[in-house]
Amino acid sequence: MAGKRSVEHISAIHLESIDQLVERAKELSPNIDADTLKKAYQFSEKAHEGQFRRSGDPYITHPLGVAGIIADLGLDQATIITGLLHDTVEDTDITLEDVKREFGEEVMDLVDGVTKISQMKFRNTHHKQGENIRKMIVAMGRDIRVILVKLADRLHNMRTLNHMPYEKQERIARETLDIYAPLANRLGISSLKVELEDLSFRYMRPEIYYDLVQKVNQKKKEREEYVSQVIGDLEEQLKEVQLNPEIQGRSKHLYSIYKKMEQRGLEFEQIYDLMAFRIITNTVGECYSALGCIHAKWKPVPGRFKDYIALAKSNNYQSLHTTVIGPNAQRIEVQIRTEEMHLIAERGIAAHWKYKEKGQIAADTEKKFRWLRDFLENSGVQGEDSDEYLENVKTDLFETEIYVFTPKGDVKELPEGASPLDFAYAIHTDVGSKCVGAKVNGKIVPLKYRLRSGDTVSVMTSSNQSPSKDWLNIVVTARAKSKIRAYVKSEERKRSLVLGKDLFEKELRRLGISVRRLFEAAHLEEYLRKNGYKSEDEIYIAVGYGKVSVEDIVKGLNPDLLPQENNPETKEEDNQSFLDKVFKSAQKKSKKKGSLISVDGMSDIMVRFAKCCNPIPGDSIVGFISRGRGVTIHTSTCSKAYEIDASRQIDVDWSDNHNQTNNVKVRILSQDEPGLLRKISDAFSSADANIINARIRTTKDHKAVFHFDIQVRDTSQLAMVIQNVQRIKGVIGVERE
């Protein structure tokens, strides 16, 4: 019957002809026009004539295979045609106008969306991956079918990956496992997700993969007999309560077995719950009746029951999950769902996607896939670089773990490790930005508290609160990170504008030049365009960030305005502006050794570390322009830092040059016991930390107080030192001074 064909696994059968594609497409979509599909096939075949894949097969086998995967998902005719044509505009002489003339505007837009994802040029592989994913997500916002075609394209390429060079196999498999498989999962298409994971596993860890294949196959007959026994027992038990559902039994897929072995540190022989059974009923009520029967027959494993019917996953997945002790004392996992739930579980968003004009998201579908709205929104954050974006996407794509409640009982699904700040941003950007604290189950908790499933969270806000850069170390969701970064960068620009304008005007006054006269230069527009400035304010911001000197701007706009005595050949050193001196000194310094500090992406700035707080790599830091001393670095928690004029603050971060050592003070309180000093010294040595000074005193209550000045590379090494000392018997406390 049309629409009833199982999609447990998307067919991997090699399509030999367009007739086979038409036959498969009509099984799920009887209204498919065979003549139009054949026309698209012939169009693509002619366009790719003379092109071959690495396997030696004619290139048309690839678009035919992609179209077959799309047909198995039950997608519409326009999407299947796009599968056949998806490489024509990129790889042949065919134009979008040709596609529009032959197959209409809808197909043209879909082909254009798929093509644009592949046509970008990048600086490096990592940047390529980040921007590629960003383009995919943006395309998904315009028409979800674009991403479904791209997923089908990736699946077919993975099926034929054995013809690629080894180094490319591993890279493509890693990208598939990191991005495409989780994306398929988030879109609810488990059939795609499972195959992508197993194929990635095969090429990333071939020795483990084939070892597992062999071990699983060794017990194939025994497993089939067990499956038959369990299905028979279940059918008999369920008949007693007038239930006659469809029951399926299978082995878990290889990548899920491997993950379980890795996470639990077990060998294959120690994994007992290798079998999974699925019960497909007619109604939701029958799901719960079946669950009761199963728990009455076999003992459930505590903590392994999950009700995804009452609390559906964000990708709209619904099922009852339980693990029980079945025949022969073996653990078996059982999923119980209705036929409609099963269809959605296998095809996900493709099973019930409803299109408005030009494939936009329909309101009822957007509501069901509520995560998609936020996901698309987060893809448009300005100023977010590719590394940040890729990190955020990976966080949002991987399956979420916890469910927390609002005070009104609404459910929010968040990643494991999420904080109250993540919850606040999930409610609304303004709630997150104004968050000052939270109550979890009625008790006040810090913002860095890690939420657990079942928590009820109430957010406390203040109109005086604003996001802090330190919040990026607390939040885990892409939404929260992108909103915080956007605010921080906006504030940095505002500060740089104020600081830059002040420095700019002061330096021009010293040179005897008016701002109005300088900006009256005839070629101002050309200068702005040539240097990438959108307005005069962009010049101030560049000065505030220290990217350019005032004198260089004057030289570029109107060098005749510079006084004669300011000629670089005569009195360059005497008349340089303050920022010029900073950068000149930095250039000399950078020839000697690399800097620990990066100022707005530059690592050659003259810096000094404040002695009041002695920052070391890993600390959260702030920088202040100091006259005659370049940039002074404080920890962000240093009280002295808040006494400095905020207008002189600039954005700083640690560079990658962490090999040099840094001085830090450590205070230790302990019992006054013989031999303790030697043990503490050994603890420092085992962490490769050097003691440069030590002061020891005892108290009247027989305690010893140690003050050490030690040398470490960064906070990670310092944490190791503290951890080693804390293990010593007799030590009461260790703290950084």
Side-chain angles (χ1 to χ4, degrees):
M1 188 189 309
K4 295 292 186 180
R5 172 158 57 89
S6 172
V7 286
E8 176 78 22
H9 297 288
I10 292 188
S11 176
I13 298 171
H14 180 66
L15 289 178
E16 298 288 348
S17 68
I18 181 59
D19 292 329
Q20 289 178 317
L21 174 63
V22 171
E23 183 182 346
R24 282 166 60 178
K26 278 184 167 293
E27 284 186 54
L28 289 177
S29 305
N31 296 326
I32 290 288
D33 182 355
D35 290 338
T36 305
L37 279 190
K38 290 177 180 178
K39 176 184 174 184
Y41 173 82
Q42 291 162 359
F43 184 88
S44 180
E45 184 179 37
K46 184 177 180 181
H48 291 292
E49 189 175 4
Q51 296 179 357
F52 296 88
R53 306 203 82 206
R54 285 182 178 268
S55 62
D57 294 331
Y59 195 87
I60 188 62
T61 59
H62 173 61
L64 184 63
V66 172
I69 294 169
I70 294 169
D72 275 338
L73 288 171
L75 289 165
D76 62 345
Q77 179 168 296
T79 316
I80 298 174
I81 292 173
T82 302
L84 288 167
L85 307 181
H86 74 278
D87 280 336
T88 54
V89 173
E90 183 182 2
D91 295 339
T92 76
D93 294 332
I94 298 299
T95 66
L96 286 172
E97 284 303 315
D98 294 332
V99 174
K100 181 180 179 181
R101 183 176 61 254
E102 297 294 333
F103 303 102
E105 187 173 353
E106 182 181 16
V107 172
M108 181 196 73
D109 287 341
L110 288 171
V111 172
D112 184 36
V114 177
T115 303
K116 282 179 177 175
I117 294 172
S118 307
Q119 283 187 333
M120 296 186 68
K121 304 298 180 185
F122 307 95
R123 295 189 302 269
N124 53 57
T125 301
H126 199 66
H127 185 262
K128 177 178 180 178
Q129 190 186 33
E131 286 304 315
N132 221 345
I133 301 307
R134 193 195 300 265
K135 288 289 276 186
M136 278 206 303
I137 304 308
V138 172
M140 184 165 68
R142 290 198 297 267
D143 194 324
I144 192 68
R145 294 172 293 178
V146 170
I147 204 70
L148 296 176
V149 172
K150 196 65 184 173
L151 282 170
D153 178 43
R154 176 53 61 109
L155 177 56
H156 191 265
N157 281 331
M158 288 298 295
R159 286 175 175 175
T160 56
L161 196 60
N162 59 307
H163 299 291
M164 295 291 286
Y166 175 75
E167 61 276 6
K168 286 191 176 182
Q169 288 179 358
E170 188 174 10
R171 176 181 60 77
I172 294 169
R174 166 54 64 189
E175 183 182 68
T176 301
L177 192 63
D178 282 350
I179 301 295
Y180 288 88
L183 182 56
N185 181 56
R186 284 296 251 152
L187 292 171
I189 315 172
S190 66
S191 49
L192 260 174
K193 171 240 185 190
V194 165
E195 189 174 355
L196 287 172
E197 285 182 341
D198 276 355
L199 287 168
S200 300
F201 177 33
R202 170 185 169 186
Y203 290 104
M204 288 175 58
R205 303 298 299 273
E207 68 290 347
I208 301 177
Y209 174 85
Y210 287 109
D211 182 56
L212 273 182
V213 169
Q214 186 178 13
K215 288 176 177 177
V216 169
N217 286 339
Q218 282 174 353
K219 297 188 176 182
K220 184 177 181 181
K221 184 176 180 181
E222 178 184 324
R223 193 169 57 252
E224 288 174 349
E225 290 175 354
Y226 187 79
V227 167
S228 180
Q229 178 190 350
V230 171
I231 289 178
D233 289 348
L234 284 171
E235 286 175 342
E236 185 178 336
Q237 184 77 6
L238 293 172
K239 279 180 183 177
E240 294 180 6
V241 288
Q242 285 76 51
L243 292 179
N244 187 28
E246 178 186 349
I247 304 175
Q248 304 169 351
R250 58 179 175 82
S251 294
K252 292 186 176 178
H253 67 287
L254 293 173
Y255 183 67
S256 70
I257 296 173
Y258 168 71
K259 278 204 304 183
K260 191 165 292 187
M261 290 166 59
E262 285 285 291
Q263 291 167 357
R264 300 182 186 178
L266 301 175
E267 297 295 326
F268 175 77
E269 291 73 20
Q270 296 173 291
I271 303 290
Y272 296 109
D273 49 345
L274 293 174
M275 303 304 302
F277 293 85
R278 186 171 294 145
I279 297 174
I280 302 175
T281 68
N282 294 315
T283 66
V284 172
E286 289 182 358
C287 289
Y288 288 99
S289 296
L291 176 70
C293 286
I294 293 168
H295 283 182
K297 183 173 181 60
W298 294 314
K299 287 185 179 180
V301 177
R304 296 297 301 274
F305 168 67
K306 293 180 180 178
D307 187 344
Y308 292 121
I309 292 180
L311 287 174
K313 291 187 178 184
S314 60
N315 63 10
N316 212 31
Y317 174 88
Q318 289 183 290
S319 270
L320 298 176
H321 286 201
T322 187
T323 301
V324 297
I325 308 298
N328 305 329
Q330 287 195 35
R331 287 190 178 197
I332 56 175
E333 184 181 291
V334 183
Q335 300 170 353
I336 310 170
R337 60 179 71 147
T338 65
E339 190 171 339
E340 181 185 1
M341 292 173 189
H342 180 58
L343 183 67
I344 292 170
E346 296 303 321
R347 291 194 214 143
I349 206 165
H352 59 181
W353 188 264
K354 294 181 182 177
Y355 301 98
K356 294 194 294 184
E357 186 181 355
K358 294 185 180 179
Q360 293 177 339
I361 302 173
D364 57 345
T365 304
E366 183 179 353
K367 185 178 180 181
K368 290 177 181 176
F369 288 82
R370 57 189 180 278
W371 68 273
L372 188 56
R373 181 184 62 252
D374 292 339
F375 195 54
L376 297 172
E377 179 185 327
N378 293 338
S379 297
V381 176
Q382 295 296 317
E384 188 174 46
D385 67 28
S386 300
D387 289 348
E388 291 173 349
Y389 182 73
L390 196 55
E391 170 200 337
N392 289 348
V393 165
K394 287 180 179 179
T395 300
D396 258 16
L397 284 183
F398 280 100
E399 190 171 2
T400 49
E401 294 286 344
I402 65 170
Y403 296 85
V404 294
F405 297 89
T406 69
K408 294 182 178 179
D410 295 330
V411 180
K412 292 293 177 183
E413 188 180 8
L414 296 170
E416 189 173 18
S419 67
L421 272 175
D422 291 295
F423 176 85
Y425 275 103
I427 299 295
H428 194 277
T429 300
D430 290 341
V431 176
S433 298
K434 300 299 180 184
C435 178
V436 293
K439 288 183 180 180
V440 175
N441 304 326
K443 295 182 179 179
I444 295 178
V445 298
L447 292 180
K448 63 181 180 181
Y449 177 85
R450 297 303 170 192
L451 300 172
R452 293 185 289 270
S453 276
D455 284 344
T456 297
V457 186
S458 174
V459 178
M460 297 180 288
T461 61
S462 168
S463 58
N464 297 321
Q465 178 67 298
S466 60
S468 160
K469 192 172 184 178
D470 291 337
W471 284 8
L472 291 171
N473 299 322
I474 297 174
V475 298
V476 298
T477 58
R479 177 180 178 82
K481 285 182 179 180
S482 61
K483 297 299 182 184
I484 294 166
R485 283 195 180 109
Y487 178 85
V488 169
K489 288 181 178 180
S490 171
E491 290 302 299
E492 286 174 351
R493 279 179 61 85
K494 289 177 184 176
R495 285 199 300 268
S496 295
L497 175 60
V498 173
L499 175 61
K501 192 170 185 178
D502 181 52
L503 291 170
F504 191 83
E505 291 174 349
K506 284 180 180 177
E507 182 64 8
L508 286 187
R509 281 198 299 270
R510 190 187 65 75
L511 295 171
I513 303 171
S514 72
V515 176
R516 181 184 58 78
R517 188 179 176 193
L518 178 63
F519 283 157
E520 281 178 350
H523 60 289
L524 174 62
E525 292 297 326
E526 180 186 348
Y527 176 82
L528 293 175
R529 185 174 61 257
K530 182 179 178 182
N531 291 276
Y533 300 131
K534 296 178 181 177
S535 65
E536 290 92 336
D537 281 353
E538 294 279 341
I539 294 178
Y540 296 140
I541 291 169
V543 171
Y545 271 128
K547 292 180 177 179
V548 64
S549 70
V550 176
E551 189 172 325
D552 283 341
I553 293 169
V554 177
K555 288 177 185 175
L557 277 172
N558 194 345
D560 294 338
L561 294 177
L562 285 171
Q564 186 63 35
E565 63 271 16
N566 200 66
N567 191 307
E569 297 179 1
T570 56
K571 293 189 176 181
E572 178 179 359
E573 188 64 31
D574 293 336
N575 295 311
Q576 281 180 323
S577 67
F578 165 63
L579 281 179
D580 285 335
K581 291 179 181 179
V582 170
F583 289 109
K584 282 287 182 182
S585 175
Q587 288 170 359
K588 295 175 184 176
K589 179 180 177 183
S590 65
K591 294 176 183 177
K592 299 177 182 178
K593 61 179 181 178
S595 174
L596 274 172
I597 296 297
S598 171
V599 180
D600 192 39
M602 297 178 287
S603 57
D604 58 351
I605 307 304
M606 184 176 71
V607 299
R608 62 181 290 271
F609 296 96
K611 297 194 180 300
C612 51
C613 53
N614 286 323
I616 64 174
D619 284 332
S620 177
I621 53 174
V622 291
F624 296 90
I625 294 179
S626 307
R627 186 166 296 278
R629 294 181 178 180
V631 178
T632 302
I633 308 300
H634 291 262
T635 64
S636 58
T637 55
C638 177
S639 58
K640 296 281 187 184
Y642 294 98
E643 298 173 6
I644 304 172
D645 182 2
S647 68
R648 307 196 73 79
Q649 183 177 339
I650 60 173
D651 191 29
V652 294
D653 207 344
W654 295 104
S655 69
D656 296 328
N657 301 315
H658 291 180
N659 293 326
Q660 62 193 76
T661 57
N662 308 272
N663 294 348
V664 65
K665 298 179 184 294
V666 176
R667 179 181 180 274
I668 302 171
L669 176 65
S670 72
Q671 302 292 346
D672 186 11
E673 296 179 0
L676 204 58
L677 179 58
R678 179 181 58 80
K679 293 178 182 177
I680 292 174
S681 178
D682 289 344
F684 286 145
S685 297
S686 64
D688 200 26
N690 184 40
I691 301 173
I692 57 176
N693 190 22
R695 301 175 303 284
I696 307 168
R697 64 182 176 86
T698 57
T699 63
K700 293 180 181 179
D701 58 348
H702 304 292
K703 302 288 191 301
V705 182
F706 302 82
H707 295 271
F708 290 99
D709 293 348
I710 64 173
Q711 290 180 323
V712 295
R713 291 182 301 276
D714 50 32
T715 53
S716 297
Q717 188 182 10
L718 177 60
M720 188 185 303
V721 169
I722 293 174
Q723 191 176 40
N724 287 351
V725 174
Q726 286 174 332
R727 293 194 184 108
I728 299 173
K729 185 178 180 182
V731 170
I732 299 171
V734 189
E735 64 180 1
R736 177 181 173 185
E737 293 188 282

